Amino acid sequence: QVQLVESGGGLVQAGGSLRLSCAASGITFSANDMAWYRQAPGKQREMVAGITRGGSTNYADSVKGRFTISRDNFKHTVYLQMNSLKPEDTGVYYCNAKTIVGRYWGQGTQVTVSS
């Protein structure tokens, strides 16, 4: 059974930082690409950052230079370090695993940035 469990969300003032974590189980973590998505109220879910099994990263233009995605294959965990947060970063953040049999999602963690 695949499980992705996010943590680390919360309420922060603009300019602040948060670190999200996603602990994975039930998959061969090191063999899969991982990503973080977010969904703001009334908007479609969008990819924020991705990291391949080889460690290559990519980011949405809106977060480049502020967010950093990383992974720890020993801990089966992917992280999203978010700095210089803006109110428009508010939303539910989801962890995603891309495997050979399909994509899996976590339950999401709420991030709220106040102005």
Side-chain angles (χ1 to χ4, degrees):
Q1 181 182 358
V2 177
Q3 280 194 316
L4 301 175
V5 180
E6 301 101 334
S7 61
L11 173 64
V12 64
Q13 288 188 331
S17 298
L18 284 173
R19 188 194 196 203
L20 306 183
S21 300
C22 170
S25 60
I27 60 172
T28 306
F29 182 80
S30 61
N32 298 303
D33 297 347
M34 303 294 296
W36 285 96
Y37 285 71
R38 70 184 177 193
Q39 188 165 18
K43 295 188 177 181
Q44 288 190 329
R45 192 174 297 188
E46 62 174 353
M47 196 195 78
V48 174
I51 185 166
T52 69
R53 59 184 182 178
S56 297
T57 59
N58 64 293
Y59 298 92
D61 287 343
S62 59
V63 307
K64 282 180 181 176
R66 300 188 297 123
F67 290 11
T68 302
I69 188 171
S70 62
R71 64 191 297 160
D72 185 331
N73 288 338
F74 292 104
K75 294 183 178 180
H76 293 192
T77 300
V78 61
Y79 304 97
L80 185 67
Q81 178 67 44
M82 306 186 293
N83 299 327
S84 302
L85 283 160
K86 304 176 181 180
E88 51 263 43
D89 294 319
T90 293
V92 180
Y93 283 69
Y94 297 92
C95 179
N96 174 265
K98 182 181 178 182
T99 76
I100 59 173
V101 297
R103 289 182 178 269
Y104 295 94
W105 297 91
Q107 82 289 348
T109 185
Q110 176 71 43
V111 171
T112 303
V113 185
S114 63
S115 57

